[in-house]
Structures are given as structure tokens and as C-alpha cells.
Amino acid sequence: MVESMIQVLIRAINSMADSMWVGGAIGAIKAVAFFCDIVTYPFYLILQRPWEKKRLSERTKAVPVSVEAKSITYRSVLPPRNIHLTLLREEVNTMDLLVRYLAKRYNHRRCLGTRQILAEEDEKQKDGRNFKKYVLGDYHWKSYTQVDQESTGFGNGLRALGQEPRSSIVLFAETREEWMIAAHGCFKQNIPVVTIYSTLGDEAIAHGINETEVTMLITSHDLLPKFKKILAMCPKVHTIIYMRDQLKHTETTGFKEGVRIISFNDVIKMGDENAGKIVAVPPTQDDTAIVMYTSGSTGVPKGVILTHRNMMATLRAFSDCVDINEEDVFLGFLPLAHVLEQAVESACLLYGVPIGYSTPLTMIDSSSKIKHGTKGDASVLKPTLMTSVPLILDRIYKGINDKVTKKGGFSKALFEFACQYKNKWTRRGFDTPLINSLIFKPIRSILGGRMRYVLCGGAPLSPETHELIKNCLCATVLQGYALTETTSCATVMDMSDRTLGRVGNPTTVTDLRLVDWDEGNYRVTDKPYPRGEIIIGGDNISPGYYKMPDKTKEDFFEEDGKRWFRTGDIGECHPDGVFKIIDRKKDLVKLQLGEYVSLGKVESQLKTCPLVENICVYGDPTKHYTVALVVPNHSHLAQLGTTLGLSSASFEELCSNPNVEKAVLRELGEHAKKSKLEKFEVPAAVKLCTEVWSPDMGLVTAAFKLKRKDIQERYQHEINRMYAS
């Protein structure tokens, strides 16, 4: 007994000693930093001119142009830039004219790049299993001229195969250079492109194919086998064009009889051979360029019609938003069937920026398909620009925090000091080059070490994630807000805006209107900021939904020659003309005692809790509290299990253990307090889900937005149990 007490005392003393050593070391670093600040402040003040950065950050970016009793309309005061004006002056007003313009302007510069796969080999793991891994080479590039020539050949090839102008064709493939070439080939012949997410289920894919009445579709080697089953539901399809794999032979037998299977390269060859016989049919501004099927967060995916006018308006707007140049390099990996990725990549091409394609399986050195000793795509490409969605950045945020926490002691304290130090000086308008080099360089190097801009959209990004990613990557993280129906164009953060938690000001081609929503108690007369439903107007607004006239009439309208879209999102506008998304009509639940709970807002806050991988909050209007379905983080749940004496329990056993559920609920409650959520907003019960919600399961969209209806149906029994308990 005495010996055990002595051992406990020794451990306590050692722990105190370690803590004192860490505290003393960090104290010394703070003292050195303070001394350096005093010595270097005058030099940084002259070199970095922080007052100019603060002035640009705080300047007015949009102003009201119409104030009514129940609405206020805002417009950007920022001027259009050179590219925008050049497109207008030279009347580049369709995607067909855009490719011709770019080929003429940038000629033999790098345009689209693909990493070469040299081999696929077995690699033995520590547990004795063999996994297939890629041995990769360099990026191989096509010039702007080559892309123009190949897209012309592809468009001619489609016509030679019998595809008529203004008749749609489905493009169902992962993000890759052939996707862009195929799309631009279609644009050149005025063939509308129907985009469908590759993660949708068979019935949803068949729905898009049948609704648009296509007879021809384009896919890839990996996705082609899906059509052995889907074609039985698509009687009109007679031709499939497939993009080849770099290593594997594509099996083209076993498909529905009468369906022709032809390779992407053979279509280009056919187009080149028939070039003299094909009369090009260029599109007009108001011809349909894309029918883009949304990822369907509610119900069946809707086809959103996007015209050439819509797409060019967005490109002009995006050309005004980011200070990029021909020396930049873009890392493309999000689905090109997502309007954000498609628009941003096209905007990069406007500036002559080369696009190197990647996948999550090969992006970084530690990605799952990278053979040991082979560099990931980012290490080879060294990109300066990329797009992302909040879920991906949230995972990076948690990954960084997990690694820092595991290191513990001095490393953790040093990292926390570096973040606090950088935050302090960033808010004052300064950069911190020494801290960036000493502390954040290893993290920055994961994405190649040159990242300058991360463009984030698709959902609100939490301030905590925004700040940490900005610090660690030493890059500007720009949030934007838009929808497929607005061609991914509504607001974008100004490059000089140093704030967090906001989605930016209206772009140079859009007007944003706030309209009273009395049911939710949001009004433009609210103080300190006007609040209401966001309605977006401009040339970027879609004509409507494909074959859905009633839904189109409900969500879209014309006013004074301008098209407008009712978003269903609730925003507030700050004095500098910058918007913040604060709610969503469909996410708002009124509880039994009259409190309104914004489910999306609560989820975005609780998602930053280390224990949470994903979360869906549910509110029953007949009850006075909400409940939550939580997909837990494996490692953090295991740590929690250990503290509860369940170190030998499996992940599934932990998820079903009532004591673990109670502990998770306590953690969520503590995190909710830190996030300043109201007491009635905090879930009163949780269910831990063992399944990781993925687009393949149909529980989240391809952009990782929750599909509430599907989640509720799948877990209705568990929801009932939580309320019953």
C-alpha cells in the first residue's frame, strides 16, 4: 500500500516537473518572441504596411441600391477587372468562343495535366496483408491549343456518331482532363451536357438519363460496368463512350444488345477524319450549356438548366474575385459535376493557369494508393490554388489537432502558442514569416508547400476551421456562397477580408436581396443588422429546373428584366456589405415550447467537436428538445472508452454502450457551451452510428451535405428510441 502511494507520488512529481519544464520553455519562447517583436516591429511596420491591409479589409464592398419596407437589395461597389472587361469588349459570350479565345491567347502554355501511372504493385503492410499501390511518374500536359483541337475533334466525332445539336448527352465520369475536353467538345457543337454525380445510386442515374431522353452517354473505365445493370432501365441509350484507364484493358462485352461501346480517343479520331464533312453549329448565349443534376439533399435530384449566358456571367464574376496569374497552378480533385469545381476551373483557364488533376487516393504522400517511396500528386504538382468543401477542411482541422494532441507536452504547447501568436498579429494586419517557416512549414509542405488560395463553398465553414487552415497552410482561405441554380455565383470573400465566419460580398454580376421572413422572425428592420431570406438576381440565374415548370415558378421569377432565385437561406448583411449565412428555412424547427432551432447551425458547431466525424440533429415539433445521430471519430471514441474502462471493447461495442452514449452527450454539452449555443439547441440524447455516411450510401450528397429525409428514414427506429427514453 505504501509502495503504491509512493509510486503515485513519484508520477505526480514527474508530471509536475514535465509540466513546469514545458511551462518554463514556452515562457522563455514567449519572452524571446516579445523581445523580437520590439526589435523587429519598426521594420515589419514599414515592409508590411499593416494599416493598408486593415483599410482594405474594412472598406465597404457593397451598398444598398433599393430599400423597401420588407426588403433591401445590395450591389457590389468593386469595379470589374481587366479580364472581365476584355470578355465583354471582345464579345466572348459562349463557352465555345471562350475555348477559341483561350487557345489564341495562351497557345502552347500548359493547360490540362494528368499524372502518369507507371505500374500497380502489391505492397506488404505491417499486418502481413498486401494492398495494391500505384507507382507514379510525372505530370503530362496538354497545351491550350491541344485542348482546343481535341475538343473540336471530340465534338465532330459526336456529330459523326449521329448526335444532333441541341440534343442532350450525359457526362458521367470522375474529375479528369477528358471530362473538360468532352464538355468543351459538346459546347462547340451546341450539344447540352447533362452532368450526373458518379456517387449517385443506379435509380437516380437512370432518372437523369431518362428524363433528359439522351441516346448517348460518356463515362469512364471505372464506371462503365455500372451500365450493365443501368441500361436495362434506359431504353433509349444506344451508344456509350468510355475514357480509358492508363493500365487496365476495358472490357466492353456483356452489355445490353444493340448498344455500341466506343473509346474516347476513337471518337476524337473519328471527328478528325470527318472534320471536312461536319458543319459546326455554335451555340448562342441563351442555348443550354449544361443540365446539372443537383446532388439531391431532398428527394429526387433536380436538373438545373444552365445557359452559356449563365456560365459566362459567373466566369466574369470569378475573374474579379481572386488575384491569380499565369505562374499559379490549380489542383483539381472535386467532382466536375459540381458547379463550383466546374466554374472555378474554367475561371483559372481564363488566366492561363494550368490545371493538374488528382484524386483523394493519390493526392498526398500518405494517400492510400501511393506506394511507399513515391510522391503524392501535390508534392509533384506543387499547386498554389485549390477548391474544397467544409467537410474536407473540417477533417484536415481534426487531423492536425489529433496529431498535435498525440505529441502532447512541449510540441502541443508550442503549436498552440504559434497559433495564438499568429492570430494576434494577423488581426493587426501583419504576417509572421518566422513562425510560418519554423512551425507551419511541415504542414504546408503536405500540399506541396506553395498553396496561396483555398476557395471553399458548398456549406458554411466554421470560424475555428477557417482560422486553423489559414494559419497552417499559410494561405488565404476564401469562403463563397452560391447554389447550382445561381451557377455557383452569388458572394465571394474579398481577397483582403481578414474576418472569419462570413461568406463575402455580392459579386460584380449579382444583386443580393434580403426579404422579411416573418415565420422565422427575421426582418430587414432587425438590429444591429438587417436579416431575411436571400434572393439572388443577375445573368447567372438559371432559366429553371428541367421539366419541372411548377417548381421553377415557385423558386424563380422575373423583375425589371432581371431573373431572380429564392434561395431559402437566411442571411444578414453587415455595414461593409458582407453577408453571413445564419439559417435556412428547411433547417428551422419550432419546438413544443416555441423555440426555433436551426439544425444546420447546431450541426456546424458540434461538427468541430473532436469526437464527431459527422452529425445530424433532428427536432420533433411535438417535443421540447432535439436529438442527434452521431458518426463518432474512431480514435477519439477509443480514447473515451479507455477512460471508462472499456479499452478492450470494439468500435461497434462502444457505439452501443449506454455509458459511452452518456459520455459523448456530456462532451457535446461542453462543446456546445464553448460554441455559445443556447441550452434548448443542445441535443438531449444521442445515437452513435457505426456506419460512415458516404454518398454511396445515399445519406449525404456528393458535396457531403446531409440528406435529412434519407437519414431520418434509415434511423427512424433509433430516433423514436431516443425520444422514448
Side-chain angles (χ1 to χ4, degrees):
M1 181 70 175
V2 174
E3 288 180 357
S4 62
M5 289 178 64
I6 292 172
Q7 288 174 355
V8 169
L9 184 60
I10 290 171
R11 282 199 296 269
I13 292 171
N14 287 338
S15 178
M16 287 175 62
D18 289 343
S19 178
M20 289 173 64
W21 180 86
V22 170
I26 295 299
I29 289 173
K30 287 181 178 179
V32 172
F34 180 72
F35 176 76
C36 290
D37 289 343
I38 294 173
V39 173
T40 60
Y41 182 80
F43 301 100
Y44 280 141
L45 190 67
I46 295 168
L47 292 172
Q48 297 188 7
R49 304 173 74 85
W51 63 89
E52 289 188 355
K53 295 176 185 175
K54 291 188 72 175
R55 177 182 60 80
L56 287 172
S57 178
E58 295 167 1
R59 78 191 191 282
T60 299
K61 303 166 190 71
V63 295
V65 293
S66 174
V67 181
E68 307 289 341
K70 290 181 173 291
S71 69
I72 303 176
T73 305
Y74 296 85
R75 185 174 297 163
S76 173
V77 296
L78 304 179
R81 303 174 77 180
N82 287 338
I83 290 279
H84 184 148
L85 297 173
T86 300
L87 292 175
L88 291 176
R89 184 173 60 251
E90 299 195 14
E91 298 184 342
V92 180
N93 52 27
T94 68
M95 295 299 286
D96 167 42
L97 293 174
L98 176 69
V99 176
R100 296 189 204 176
Y101 165 79
L102 295 176
K104 183 179 177 181
R105 176 164 181 158
Y106 298 117
N107 210 299
H108 298 296
R109 286 184 60 87
R110 296 184 305 170
C111 182
L112 305 179
T114 298
R115 188 99 182 265
Q116 297 304 293
I117 303 174
L118 304 178
E120 187 177 37
E121 299 177 356
D122 286 332
E123 183 177 85
K124 197 167 187 177
Q125 308 302 300
K126 291 180 179 178
D127 60 5
R129 292 184 296 173
N130 283 322
F131 286 161
K132 294 286 186 182
K133 302 280 185 173
Y134 286 144
V135 178
L136 298 165
D138 291 328
Y139 270 88
H140 280 203
W141 294 91
K142 286 184 170 67
S143 69
Y144 279 81
T145 299
Q146 285 176 296
V147 169
D148 182 40
Q149 290 170 346
E150 289 195 11
S151 60
T152 299
F154 188 80
N156 288 339
L158 292 178
R159 293 288 307 281
L161 285 169
Q163 182 73 23
E164 293 295 324
R166 294 190 172 89
S167 294
S168 298
I169 188 169
V170 161
L171 182 45
F172 179 75
E174 308 93 342
T175 295
R176 52 194 291 171
E177 68 177 44
E178 292 94 337
W179 198 106
M180 286 290 273
I181 292 169
H184 285 291
C186 294
F187 298 151
K188 284 173 176 288
Q189 293 291 345
N190 199 9
I191 298 169
V193 175
V194 178
T195 66
I196 302 176
Y197 285 101
S198 61
T199 52
L200 290 178
D202 291 352
E203 290 185 4
I205 296 166
H207 167 77
I209 292 171
N210 292 330
E211 187 173 65
T212 52
E213 301 180 71
V214 303
T215 59
M216 201 175 293
L217 59 88
I218 307 161
T219 189
S220 63
H221 165 89
D222 292 331
L223 296 174
L224 181 61
K226 291 176 75 79
F227 289 97
K228 289 184 177 180
K229 181 179 178 182
I230 293 172
L231 285 177
M233 297 182 272
C234 305
K236 291 191 176 182
V237 174
H238 60 62
T239 302
I240 299 180
I241 300 162
Y242 67 91
M243 304 167 188
R244 288 174 171 163
D245 184 82
Q246 291 192 46
L247 297 179
K248 299 170 186 173
H249 170 73
T250 303
E251 181 55 59
T252 59
T253 60
F255 288 84
K256 181 180 170 184
E257 189 176 347
V259 175
R260 182 179 184 181
I261 314 289
I262 184 172
S263 77
F264 185 87
N265 292 343
D266 285 344
V267 175
I268 294 176
K269 184 179 178 182
M270 186 182 300
D272 291 340
E273 291 171 351
N274 288 273
K277 304 174 188 176
I278 304 296
V279 178
V281 182
T284 68
Q285 291 186 72
D286 294 313
D287 278 318
T288 299
I290 291 180
V291 178
M292 186 165 279
Y293 276 82
T294 64
S295 47
S297 57
T298 56
V300 177
K302 300 185 293 287
V304 179
I305 301 168
L306 301 178
T307 65
H308 288 268
R309 184 189 301 275
N310 298 152
M311 296 181 72
M312 291 307 301
T314 289
L315 294 190
R316 292 196 301 272
F318 280 12
S319 72
D320 296 329
C321 292
V322 184
D323 185 14
I324 61 179
N325 55 63
E326 296 176 16
E327 302 306 314
D328 281 307
V329 178
F330 184 86
L331 176 68
F333 73 98
L334 287 184
L336 273 164
H338 191 291
V339 66
L340 172 65
E341 182 74 9
Q342 208 280 332
V344 171
E345 287 194 21
S346 296
C348 284
L349 296 180
L350 270 179
Y351 279 91
V353 172
I355 298 170
Y357 288 104
S358 179
T359 75
L361 300 177
T362 60
M363 186 182 298
I364 61 176
D365 296 354
S366 58
S367 291
S368 60
K369 287 291 283 185
I370 295 292
K371 185 175 173 63
H372 184 70
T374 300
K375 293 290 185 183
D377 297 338
S379 296
V380 174
L381 188 66
K382 299 190 183 303
T384 59
L385 312 168
M386 65 179 282
T387 51
S388 185
V389 293
L391 183 68
I392 292 174
L393 297 185
D394 284 338
R395 286 176 177 172
I396 295 173
Y397 168 88
K398 289 177 182 175
I400 293 170
N401 277 332
D402 286 350
K403 285 188 177 180
V404 169
T405 301
K406 284 178 182 176
K407 286 185 176 180
F410 178 72
S411 296
K412 182 182 177 183
L414 180 62
F415 182 80
E416 290 174 350
F417 162 72
C419 287
Q420 292 166 5
Y421 179 89
K422 185 169 182 176
N423 291 341
K424 177 181 73 175
W425 287 106
T426 299
R427 293 187 190 109
R428 295 174 181 175
F430 289 90
D431 194 10
T432 56
L434 193 59
I435 289 288
N436 292 348
S437 178
L438 294 177
I439 306 298
F440 298 120
K441 188 176 180 179
I443 301 174
R444 181 174 165 82
S445 66
I446 292 172
L447 287 175
R450 297 177 62 228
M451 191 61 64
R452 294 202 307 125
Y453 287 113
V454 178
L455 311 173
C456 184
L461 179 66
S462 73
E464 296 81 9
T465 299
H466 189 157
E467 190 166 58
L468 187 73
I469 297 297
K470 183 176 70 170
N471 284 342
C472 292
L473 293 184
C474 304
T476 301
V477 179
L478 297 178
Q479 278 201 76
Y481 162 73
L483 306 96
T484 306
E485 291 86 344
T486 69
T487 325
S488 191
C489 180
T491 69
V492 179
M493 284 182 71
D494 185 75
M495 292 176 290
S496 305
D497 192 342
R498 305 172 83 80
T499 60
L500 304 170
R502 306 194 297 174
V503 295
N505 48 279
T507 68
T508 52
V509 304
T510 53
D511 287 350
L512 257 70
R513 179 178 295 171
L514 292 180
V515 178
D516 286 357
W517 184 38
D518 294 328
E519 183 184 343
N521 202 29
Y522 293 112
R523 298 178 178 86
V524 296
T525 54
D526 289 346
K527 303 296 180 184
Y529 310 121
R531 304 188 298 175
E533 180 184 0
I534 296 174
I535 298 179
I536 304 168
D539 281 348
N540 57 309
I541 304 301
S542 161
Y545 299 113
Y546 190 78
K547 293 185 177 180
M548 298 179 71
D550 292 340
K551 183 63 176 170
T552 297
K553 189 175 180 180
E554 178 185 339
D555 291 348
F556 297 85
F557 66 95
E558 298 274 347
E559 182 181 286
D560 299 328
K562 184 175 288 187
R563 192 151 183 81
W564 296 81
F565 175 69
R566 300 180 179 92
T567 67
D569 292 315
I570 308 300
E572 66 181 25
C573 188
H574 296 175
D576 58 354
V578 175
F579 281 73
K580 182 177 182 180
I581 307 301
I582 57 174
D583 215 332
R584 178 158 176 78
K585 277 185 173 183
K586 292 177 182 176
D587 287 352
L588 202 66
V589 174
K590 187 178 183 180
L591 298 179
Q592 190 180 39
L593 300 181
E595 302 104 333
Y596 282 98
V597 177
S598 171
L599 304 179
K601 169 194 164 188
V602 174
E603 288 159 355
S604 68
Q605 294 296 329
L606 297 183
K607 209 177 282 183
T608 59
C609 175
L611 266 169
V612 177
E613 189 71 28
N614 210 342
I615 183 170
C616 179
V617 179
Y618 177 81
D620 185 335
T622 66
K623 308 294 183 183
H624 65 273
Y625 60 90
T626 63
V627 297
L629 297 159
V630 175
V631 178
N633 178 282
H634 279 240
S635 60
H636 283 283
L637 191 70
Q639 290 173 20
L640 181 64
T642 301
T643 63
L644 296 174
L646 301 168
S647 57
S648 60
S650 67
F651 178 71
E652 289 74 15
E653 289 169 340
L654 290 173
C655 286
S656 61
N657 189 302
N659 291 327
V660 175
E661 282 185 351
K662 290 176 185 177
V664 170
L665 194 60
R666 285 195 297 270
E667 289 278 342
L668 289 181
E670 290 299 317
H671 193 80
K673 284 181 185 177
K674 295 176 187 174
S675 302
K676 298 181 180 178
L677 291 178
E678 299 292 339
K679 194 171 183 180
F680 63 83
E681 294 178 308
V682 184
V686 297
K687 162 64 182 173
L688 302 182
C689 306
T690 58
E691 305 167 301
V692 176
W693 300 339
S694 65
D696 293 337
M697 290 179 63
L699 299 182
V700 295
T701 71
F704 294 99
K705 294 179 185 177
L706 298 179
K707 300 177 80 169
R708 293 190 184 281
K709 186 178 178 183
D710 295 299
I711 292 173
Q712 181 187 342
E713 288 177 356
R714 189 179 187 94
Y715 294 103
Q716 190 62 61
H717 177 74
E718 286 79 4
I719 291 171
N720 294 341
R721 182 185 65 80
M722 285 188 280
Y723 274 119
S725 65

